[in-house]
Amino acid sequence: MKRIPQILMLLGTLCLLTLFVFPMWKIQLFAPQYPDGVTMYIWINKLGGDSPGTLQNVNILNHYIGMKYIEPDAIPELKYFQWIILGMVGLGVAAAFWNKRSGFLIWLILLALIGILGMYDFYLWEYDYGHNLSPKAPIKIPDASFQPPLIGTKIILNFVAKSLPHTGGYFFMLSGVLAAVAWWLKGKQKS
Amino acid sequence: MKKHPVQKIFGFLALTSMLVLFFASCNSNSNSPTSGVLGDDVASQVYVGPGEYDEFYGFMSGGFSGQISVYGLPSGRMLKVIPVFSQDAEKGYGYNEETKPMLNTSHGFIPWDDSHHPELSQTNGETDGRWIFINGNNTPRVARIDLSTFETAEIIEIPNSGGNHSSPFTTENTEYVVAGTRFGVPYPQADVAINSYAENFKGMLSFIKVDPNSGEMEIAFQVLLPAFDYDLAHSGKGKSHGWTFFTTYNTEEKSTLLEVNASQNDKDFIAAINWKKAEEYIAAGNYKEMPANYAHNVYDEETHMATSTMMKSVKVLTPEDCPGLVYFLPTPKSPHGVDVDDTGEYIIGNGKLSADLSVHSFTKMQEAIANESFETEIAGVPVLKFEDILAGVVEKAGLGPLHTEFDGRGNAYTSFFISSEVVKWKVGTWEVLDRAPTYYSVGHLMIPGGDSRNPQGKYLVALNKITKDRYLPTGPEMNHSAQLYDISGDKMKLLLDFPTIGEPHYAQGISADRIVPNVKKIYPIEDNKHPYRAMGEKDARVERDGNTVHVYMTTIRSHFAPDNIEGIKVGDKVYFHVTNLEQDWDVPHGFAVQGAQNAELLIMPGQTETLYWEPKSVGVYPFYCTDFCSALHQEMQGYIRVSPANSNIALKWGLGEEEDQS
Ligand SMILES: [Cu+2]
């Protein structure tokens, strides 16, 4: 019984490793002539789709409105974010072995900060793609917003765009929940 | 305008007959197709709603169009025309440099043929949806179409043959597809008097081995027989697996006025070939390797190119040297189709000049062979006794039986050309169960899997030879008509009429779920091994080699790269190698250039195709995308500048560069 918080803390930490296996986020575009939808996945270190051609297909769509090409090589986050996660895994394991309530809390706060900053960063990229349009775009629609939704559903021209966390993202949240429960149980044990 | 009294009477008669019809159809469950509106709901049986899929694919031969057309059944909606033996300007097939070799033969480039009998590949006697084969009748050939792409993958020419009609009927594991000559021809071809037919002409039956993995075809052996006309064929199945049966007519061996001269014998033959025995003779070296010259053309899906190889010999088996290889089964009278029922026991000879259908028993045939009960021998081939092998006769079923298929429930369906009907009869008791008129003069008929061991006997399609008044008139030439019947009940029920391409001689049907999961949507660009591919716009360029110019061009929505080309000279030989960089389903781009003497290109995603162009005069000529690919399709265009032959304008190409301001 006494070891439960420590085990939970360790489990929560290890949840982060799933980010190397599953995508964190999913963006889908639906339109009548795309009956299966166009599905893009954001991984911790790459962008992909449900087919090798997806990114190209999205870029072809985007170029009509002068949106920048989405080029994974030009997104530095895809290079360094994995190191942040690995660092958090290291810290989490250390906190679990240190087995102090304050250690759990510090880790939890760090994780929340990373989550919030990550979403803010995601928003900035979306804002950039949605607003930084080429003046030579073939199709210009004044006042139209092309920025994809941060989370949820939005209509962009002829498309319905849907943006939601994917498996990796849910594990990230689970990781925080487990750490929080560990911190809470640890507090109960003391009293 | 005043009506003439006669017109009034006709008007009255028409009105009363309509009323009579109306009440008649209300009160009876008539078999008339119009009863759908009023009686049982025929319309809903063939209605496939918008966006819904048909239950079956139907593959119809194009006859003199040389192609295969693909239909959805039961709706009768046309899905695609697959170019096979004929050039097709719509798709650039046979016009672009990649597919020209597909139409190469020992006679050189042949842009047309007469395609007759599609045949699906089978595994364990069931259609497996991997390939469909079809014969070219005029310049004897057999083609294989890959059903993952619905494109022609291979064409092999048949040597020592004239009129490849009894082809390409498969064995039950697609070990072989066959090719029997309709015309006797001198063997080997020679300058001889035509009236020396009986002496100098021969009939050759070919067995084409199909590689079980790649599908690639190879002529395994030919069987040398008398110069009868070998009309149709089918292979045994189940207990008769290992045998292939060919009908013959003109056993009189005449070369003139066949209409009369080839209709004299009371009985012609079904030639039964024991191909397993043939394999033994081949293995034992009991054949003659004969010089020959025939083309073998293969399309490579990764290079997106066809290559043509001339083959130089063929193995020939002769009945005299190979006892037990061939038997003749006497069959009345000039039989057209030979059809083996789904159990493999019964061999139906459709004697087209007879009123009866003669059915042979495979078991009895085996007994007669074991007892060596032979009537005579012709050219080393034992002729069995008609009475020995006869299982039964479907008597006076109709006039002009042509072809029979089976529903897997013990029933057979025979087309009767002269009496223009389909007749359903019971296998084993030979009694006629039902008959349905066709509009008009049915040739072959088709039940999905109806010539396999496991028919999917829900529908029957009649392939009619005469159309007349079935559709809105379109001048003297009318499309041939097909008719769909529901055969799931005791009575056949006519559901639908639909026009077809060319003349479908035969068709094949298969439930869609055996094909759909394997259908490709794009060609992966990373697999493109075309020698002139451009894997991205960075590879787009123009290269000159003497007066030959290679343009490495790419397409992606919505531009060509390059789209401005200069430095081309009159008399150059220009090859546009266009790679479609798209990787999305149903985004082909087209390429057309003014003055091209061939056709357009229609390039599928991930594919490279080449158009040859010879500029004849100085000027600047536009090229453009022919397939409406996007909102900016009409902007997808470019220019090529042609300078005088002696000019020294440098080669120059580009995309999106600003115009010269000077
Ligand atoms: Cu285009």
Side-chain angles (χ1 to χ4, degrees), chain A residues 12-35:
Chain A
T13 303
L14 295 180
C15 277
L16 290 182
L17 288 174
T18 59
L19 285 172
F20 291 87
V21 189
F22 303 108
M24 307 185 283
W25 212 266
K26 181 163 97 167
I27 299 178
Q28 281 178 298
L29 300 171
F30 296 96
Q33 62 271 56
Y34 291 85

PDB file of all heavy atoms in Angstrom, chain A residues 12-35:
ATOM      1  N   GLY A  12       2.970   7.138 -14.471  1.00  0.00           N
ATOM      2  CA  GLY A  12       2.673   8.409 -15.143  1.00  0.00           C
ATOM      3  C   GLY A  12       3.833   8.845 -16.003  1.00  0.00           C
ATOM      4  O   GLY A  12       3.655   9.308 -17.133  1.00  0.00           O
ATOM      5  N   THR A  13       5.024   8.716 -15.480  1.00  0.00           N
ATOM      6  CA  THR A  13       6.218   9.091 -16.226  1.00  0.00           C
ATOM      7  C   THR A  13       6.328   8.248 -17.506  1.00  0.00           C
ATOM      8  O   THR A  13       6.571   8.768 -18.594  1.00  0.00           O
ATOM      9  CB  THR A  13       7.465   8.856 -15.355  1.00  0.00           C
ATOM     10  OG1 THR A  13       7.306   9.610 -14.161  1.00  0.00           O
ATOM     11  CG2 THR A  13       8.710   9.274 -16.078  1.00  0.00           C
ATOM     12  N   LEU A  14       6.130   6.949 -17.313  1.00  0.00           N
ATOM     13  CA  LEU A  14       6.318   6.060 -18.463  1.00  0.00           C
ATOM     14  C   LEU A  14       5.269   6.295 -19.551  1.00  0.00           C
ATOM     15  O   LEU A  14       5.507   6.026 -20.720  1.00  0.00           O
ATOM     16  CB  LEU A  14       6.283   4.594 -18.003  1.00  0.00           C
ATOM     17  CG  LEU A  14       7.457   4.226 -17.081  1.00  0.00           C
ATOM     18  CD1 LEU A  14       7.378   2.760 -16.651  1.00  0.00           C
ATOM     19  CD2 LEU A  14       8.808   4.520 -17.737  1.00  0.00           C
ATOM     20  N   CYS A  15       4.080   6.822 -19.132  1.00  0.00           N
ATOM     21  CA  CYS A  15       3.048   7.157 -20.121  1.00  0.00           C
ATOM     22  C   CYS A  15       3.607   8.070 -21.215  1.00  0.00           C
ATOM     23  O   CYS A  15       3.183   8.020 -22.367  1.00  0.00           O
ATOM     24  CB  CYS A  15       1.876   7.876 -19.460  1.00  0.00           C
ATOM     25  SG  CYS A  15       0.718   6.736 -18.705  1.00  0.00           S
ATOM     26  N   LEU A  16       4.548   8.943 -20.824  1.00  0.00           N
ATOM     27  CA  LEU A  16       5.097   9.897 -21.797  1.00  0.00           C
ATOM     28  C   LEU A  16       5.812   9.183 -22.946  1.00  0.00           C
ATOM     29  O   LEU A  16       5.892   9.690 -24.051  1.00  0.00           O
ATOM     30  CB  LEU A  16       6.068  10.860 -21.104  1.00  0.00           C
ATOM     31  CG  LEU A  16       5.433  11.866 -20.147  1.00  0.00           C
ATOM     32  CD1 LEU A  16       6.514  12.783 -19.583  1.00  0.00           C
ATOM     33  CD2 LEU A  16       4.365  12.686 -20.863  1.00  0.00           C
ATOM     34  N   LEU A  17       6.317   7.984 -22.645  1.00  0.00           N
ATOM     35  CA  LEU A  17       7.052   7.264 -23.695  1.00  0.00           C
ATOM     36  C   LEU A  17       6.141   6.869 -24.871  1.00  0.00           C
ATOM     37  O   LEU A  17       6.603   6.664 -25.986  1.00  0.00           O
ATOM     38  CB  LEU A  17       7.722   6.008 -23.114  1.00  0.00           C
ATOM     39  CG  LEU A  17       8.917   6.319 -22.207  1.00  0.00           C
ATOM     40  CD1 LEU A  17       9.440   5.039 -21.561  1.00  0.00           C
ATOM     41  CD2 LEU A  17      10.024   7.034 -22.974  1.00  0.00           C
ATOM     42  N   THR A  18       4.813   6.776 -24.597  1.00  0.00           N
ATOM     43  CA  THR A  18       3.902   6.424 -25.705  1.00  0.00           C
ATOM     44  C   THR A  18       3.929   7.487 -26.799  1.00  0.00           C
ATOM     45  O   THR A  18       3.541   7.231 -27.927  1.00  0.00           O
ATOM     46  CB  THR A  18       2.452   6.291 -25.205  1.00  0.00           C
ATOM     47  OG1 THR A  18       2.056   7.531 -24.634  1.00  0.00           O
ATOM     48  CG2 THR A  18       2.312   5.176 -24.190  1.00  0.00           C
ATOM     49  N   LEU A  19       4.379   8.708 -26.440  1.00  0.00           N
ATOM     50  CA  LEU A  19       4.452   9.776 -27.445  1.00  0.00           C
ATOM     51  C   LEU A  19       5.416   9.402 -28.584  1.00  0.00           C
ATOM     52  O   LEU A  19       5.355   9.975 -29.659  1.00  0.00           O
ATOM     53  CB  LEU A  19       4.914  11.079 -26.800  1.00  0.00           C
ATOM     54  CG  LEU A  19       3.848  11.789 -25.958  1.00  0.00           C
ATOM     55  CD1 LEU A  19       4.474  12.960 -25.217  1.00  0.00           C
ATOM     56  CD2 LEU A  19       2.712  12.267 -26.840  1.00  0.00           C
ATOM     57  N   PHE A  20       6.299   8.450 -28.298  1.00  0.00           N
ATOM     58  CA  PHE A  20       7.212   8.003 -29.360  1.00  0.00           C
ATOM     59  C   PHE A  20       6.566   6.933 -30.241  1.00  0.00           C
ATOM     60  O   PHE A  20       7.128   6.507 -31.228  1.00  0.00           O
ATOM     61  CB  PHE A  20       8.525   7.483 -28.757  1.00  0.00           C
ATOM     62  CG  PHE A  20       9.349   8.577 -28.147  1.00  0.00           C
ATOM     63  CD1 PHE A  20       9.159   8.970 -26.818  1.00  0.00           C
ATOM     64  CD2 PHE A  20      10.299   9.253 -28.909  1.00  0.00           C
ATOM     65  CE1 PHE A  20       9.904   9.983 -26.265  1.00  0.00           C
ATOM     66  CE2 PHE A  20      11.040  10.280 -28.361  1.00  0.00           C
ATOM     67  CZ  PHE A  20      10.851  10.646 -27.032  1.00  0.00           C
ATOM     68  N   VAL A  21       5.370   6.463 -29.819  1.00  0.00           N
ATOM     69  CA  VAL A  21       4.691   5.387 -30.560  1.00  0.00           C
ATOM     70  C   VAL A  21       3.438   5.898 -31.279  1.00  0.00           C
ATOM     71  O   VAL A  21       3.167   5.497 -32.407  1.00  0.00           O
ATOM     72  CB  VAL A  21       4.296   4.231 -29.603  1.00  0.00           C
ATOM     73  CG1 VAL A  21       3.791   3.040 -30.394  1.00  0.00           C
ATOM     74  CG2 VAL A  21       5.480   3.841 -28.722  1.00  0.00           C
ATOM     75  N   PHE A  22       2.703   6.812 -30.612  1.00  0.00           N
ATOM     76  CA  PHE A  22       1.434   7.276 -31.189  1.00  0.00           C
ATOM     77  C   PHE A  22       1.480   8.773 -31.488  1.00  0.00           C
ATOM     78  O   PHE A  22       2.193   9.504 -30.816  1.00  0.00           O
ATOM     79  CB  PHE A  22       0.279   7.005 -30.210  1.00  0.00           C
ATOM     80  CG  PHE A  22       0.131   5.571 -29.815  1.00  0.00           C
ATOM     81  CD1 PHE A  22       0.484   5.138 -28.542  1.00  0.00           C
ATOM     82  CD2 PHE A  22      -0.347   4.634 -30.733  1.00  0.00           C
ATOM     83  CE1 PHE A  22       0.345   3.809 -28.176  1.00  0.00           C
ATOM     84  CE2 PHE A  22      -0.491   3.304 -30.373  1.00  0.00           C
ATOM     85  CZ  PHE A  22      -0.137   2.888 -29.089  1.00  0.00           C
ATOM     86  N   PRO A  23       0.668   9.219 -32.450  1.00  0.00           N
ATOM     87  CA  PRO A  23       0.576  10.663 -32.702  1.00  0.00           C
ATOM     88  C   PRO A  23      -0.065  11.357 -31.509  1.00  0.00           C
ATOM     89  O   PRO A  23      -0.867  10.772 -30.792  1.00  0.00           O
ATOM     90  CB  PRO A  23      -0.352  10.768 -33.918  1.00  0.00           C
ATOM     91  CG  PRO A  23      -0.537   9.390 -34.447  1.00  0.00           C
ATOM     92  CD  PRO A  23      -0.216   8.437 -33.342  1.00  0.00           C
ATOM     93  N   MET A  24       0.304  12.650 -31.337  1.00  0.00           N
ATOM     94  CA  MET A  24      -0.284  13.421 -30.239  1.00  0.00           C
ATOM     95  C   MET A  24      -1.601  14.034 -30.660  1.00  0.00           C
ATOM     96  O   MET A  24      -2.488  14.232 -29.844  1.00  0.00           O
ATOM     97  CB  MET A  24       0.627  14.612 -29.871  1.00  0.00           C
ATOM     98  CG  MET A  24       2.030  14.263 -29.580  1.00  0.00           C
ATOM     99  SD  MET A  24       2.906  15.743 -29.025  1.00  0.00           S
ATOM    100  CE  MET A  24       3.172  16.605 -30.562  1.00  0.00           C
ATOM    101  N   TRP A  25      -1.682  14.397 -31.935  1.00  0.00           N
ATOM    102  CA  TRP A  25      -2.798  15.230 -32.367  1.00  0.00           C
ATOM    103  C   TRP A  25      -3.245  14.789 -33.749  1.00  0.00           C
ATOM    104  O   TRP A  25      -2.463  14.231 -34.517  1.00  0.00           O
ATOM    105  CB  TRP A  25      -2.351  16.699 -32.400  1.00  0.00           C
ATOM    106  CG  TRP A  25      -3.449  17.639 -32.082  1.00  0.00           C
ATOM    107  CD1 TRP A  25      -4.262  18.258 -32.975  1.00  0.00           C
ATOM    108  CD2 TRP A  25      -3.867  18.065 -30.785  1.00  0.00           C
ATOM    109  NE1 TRP A  25      -5.163  19.042 -32.324  1.00  0.00           N
ATOM    110  CE2 TRP A  25      -4.954  18.949 -30.962  1.00  0.00           C
ATOM    111  CE3 TRP A  25      -3.448  17.794 -29.479  1.00  0.00           C
ATOM    112  CZ2 TRP A  25      -5.615  19.558 -29.893  1.00  0.00           C
ATOM    113  CZ3 TRP A  25      -4.100  18.399 -28.430  1.00  0.00           C
ATOM    114  CH2 TRP A  25      -5.163  19.274 -28.622  1.00  0.00           C
ATOM    115  N   LYS A  26      -4.530  15.057 -34.034  1.00  0.00           N
ATOM    116  CA  LYS A  26      -5.087  14.679 -35.329  1.00  0.00           C
ATOM    117  C   LYS A  26      -5.871  15.850 -35.894  1.00  0.00           C
ATOM    118  O   LYS A  26      -6.701  16.427 -35.199  1.00  0.00           O
ATOM    119  CB  LYS A  26      -6.006  13.475 -35.136  1.00  0.00           C
ATOM    120  CG  LYS A  26      -6.637  12.946 -36.407  1.00  0.00           C
ATOM    121  CD  LYS A  26      -7.185  11.547 -36.186  1.00  0.00           C
ATOM    122  CE  LYS A  26      -8.665  11.566 -35.880  1.00  0.00           C
ATOM    123  NZ  LYS A  26      -9.275  10.240 -35.962  1.00  0.00           N
ATOM    124  N   ILE A  27      -5.616  16.198 -37.153  1.00  0.00           N
ATOM    125  CA  ILE A  27      -6.417  17.236 -37.813  1.00  0.00           C
ATOM    126  C   ILE A  27      -7.056  16.603 -39.040  1.00  0.00           C
ATOM    127  O   ILE A  27      -6.373  15.993 -39.868  1.00  0.00           O
ATOM    128  CB  ILE A  27      -5.551  18.441 -38.243  1.00  0.00           C
ATOM    129  CG1 ILE A  27      -4.910  19.082 -37.007  1.00  0.00           C
ATOM    130  CG2 ILE A  27      -6.370  19.453 -39.016  1.00  0.00           C
ATOM    131  CD1 ILE A  27      -4.003  20.244 -37.323  1.00  0.00           C
ATOM    132  N   GLN A  28      -8.376  16.733 -39.138  1.00  0.00           N
ATOM    133  CA  GLN A  28      -9.080  16.142 -40.277  1.00  0.00           C
ATOM    134  C   GLN A  28      -9.811  17.211 -41.054  1.00  0.00           C
ATOM    135  O   GLN A  28     -10.343  18.160 -40.493  1.00  0.00           O
ATOM    136  CB  GLN A  28     -10.098  15.107 -39.790  1.00  0.00           C
ATOM    137  CG  GLN A  28      -9.467  13.772 -39.426  1.00  0.00           C
ATOM    138  CD  GLN A  28     -10.517  12.818 -38.908  1.00  0.00           C
ATOM    139  OE1 GLN A  28     -11.145  13.097 -37.894  1.00  0.00           O
ATOM    140  NE2 GLN A  28     -10.707  11.714 -39.607  1.00  0.00           N
ATOM    141  N   LEU A  29      -9.815  17.030 -42.377  1.00  0.00           N
ATOM    142  CA  LEU A  29     -10.548  17.934 -43.265  1.00  0.00           C
ATOM    143  C   LEU A  29     -11.588  17.118 -44.018  1.00  0.00           C
ATOM    144  O   LEU A  29     -11.280  16.052 -44.553  1.00  0.00           O
ATOM    145  CB  LEU A  29      -9.585  18.582 -44.268  1.00  0.00           C
ATOM    146  CG  LEU A  29      -8.455  19.413 -43.681  1.00  0.00           C
ATOM    147  CD1 LEU A  29      -7.457  19.800 -44.761  1.00  0.00           C
ATOM    148  CD2 LEU A  29      -9.020  20.666 -43.005  1.00  0.00           C
ATOM    149  N   PHE A  30     -12.805  17.623 -44.027  1.00  0.00           N
ATOM    150  CA  PHE A  30     -13.878  16.924 -44.752  1.00  0.00           C
ATOM    151  C   PHE A  30     -14.497  17.853 -45.793  1.00  0.00           C
ATOM    152  O   PHE A  30     -14.733  19.028 -45.514  1.00  0.00           O
ATOM    153  CB  PHE A  30     -14.976  16.463 -43.787  1.00  0.00           C
ATOM    154  CG  PHE A  30     -14.509  15.457 -42.782  1.00  0.00           C
ATOM    155  CD1 PHE A  30     -14.120  15.854 -41.505  1.00  0.00           C
ATOM    156  CD2 PHE A  30     -14.432  14.112 -43.108  1.00  0.00           C
ATOM    157  CE1 PHE A  30     -13.681  14.929 -40.575  1.00  0.00           C
ATOM    158  CE2 PHE A  30     -13.997  13.178 -42.175  1.00  0.00           C
ATOM    159  CZ  PHE A  30     -13.617  13.592 -40.907  1.00  0.00           C
ATOM    160  N   ALA A  31     -14.734  17.292 -46.977  1.00  0.00           N
ATOM    161  CA  ALA A  31     -15.478  18.007 -48.013  1.00  0.00           C
ATOM    162  C   ALA A  31     -16.117  16.942 -48.905  1.00  0.00           C
ATOM    163  O   ALA A  31     -15.680  15.792 -48.902  1.00  0.00           O
ATOM    164  CB  ALA A  31     -14.525  18.896 -48.828  1.00  0.00           C
ATOM    165  N   PRO A  32     -17.159  17.327 -49.636  1.00  0.00           N
ATOM    166  CA  PRO A  32     -17.865  16.313 -50.428  1.00  0.00           C
ATOM    167  C   PRO A  32     -16.935  15.494 -51.333  1.00  0.00           C
ATOM    168  O   PRO A  32     -17.076  14.284 -51.432  1.00  0.00           O
ATOM    169  CB  PRO A  32     -18.842  17.140 -51.263  1.00  0.00           C
ATOM    170  CG  PRO A  32     -19.080  18.367 -50.462  1.00  0.00           C
ATOM    171  CD  PRO A  32     -17.800  18.647 -49.740  1.00  0.00           C
ATOM    172  N   GLN A  33     -15.975  16.168 -51.978  1.00  0.00           N
ATOM    173  CA  GLN A  33     -15.120  15.422 -52.905  1.00  0.00           C
ATOM    174  C   GLN A  33     -13.966  14.691 -52.202  1.00  0.00           C
ATOM    175  O   GLN A  33     -13.116  14.120 -52.853  1.00  0.00           O
ATOM    176  CB  GLN A  33     -14.605  16.320 -54.046  1.00  0.00           C
ATOM    177  CG  GLN A  33     -13.747  17.494 -53.625  1.00  0.00           C
ATOM    178  CD  GLN A  33     -14.552  18.732 -53.336  1.00  0.00           C
ATOM    179  OE1 GLN A  33     -15.456  18.710 -52.508  1.00  0.00           O
ATOM    180  NE2 GLN A  33     -14.237  19.832 -53.999  1.00  0.00           N
ATOM    181  N   TYR A  34     -13.946  14.774 -50.855  1.00  0.00           N
ATOM    182  CA  TYR A  34     -13.001  13.974 -50.067  1.00  0.00           C
ATOM    183  C   TYR A  34     -13.812  13.065 -49.142  1.00  0.00           C
ATOM    184  O   TYR A  34     -13.886  13.313 -47.934  1.00  0.00           O
ATOM    185  CB  TYR A  34     -12.051  14.868 -49.276  1.00  0.00           C
ATOM    186  CG  TYR A  34     -11.084  15.602 -50.164  1.00  0.00           C
ATOM    187  CD1 TYR A  34     -11.438  16.813 -50.754  1.00  0.00           C
ATOM    188  CD2 TYR A  34      -9.830  15.065 -50.467  1.00  0.00           C
ATOM    189  CE1 TYR A  34     -10.574  17.474 -51.611  1.00  0.00           C
ATOM    190  CE2 TYR A  34      -8.962  15.713 -51.310  1.00  0.00           C
ATOM    191  CZ  TYR A  34      -9.332  16.925 -51.884  1.00  0.00           C
ATOM    192  OH  TYR A  34      -8.473  17.559 -52.727  1.00  0.00           O
ATOM    193  N   PRO A  35     -14.448  12.031 -49.721  1.00  0.00           N
ATOM    194  CA  PRO A  35     -15.386  11.224 -48.938  1.00  0.00           C
ATOM    195  C   PRO A  35     -14.732  10.560 -47.726  1.00  0.00           C
ATOM    196  O   PRO A  35     -15.393  10.342 -46.716  1.00  0.00           O
ATOM    197  CB  PRO A  35     -15.895  10.184 -49.926  1.00  0.00           C
ATOM    198  CG  PRO A  35     -14.960  10.228 -51.097  1.00  0.00           C
ATOM    199  CD  PRO A  35     -14.352  11.592 -51.113  1.00  0.00           C
TER     200      PRO A  35
END
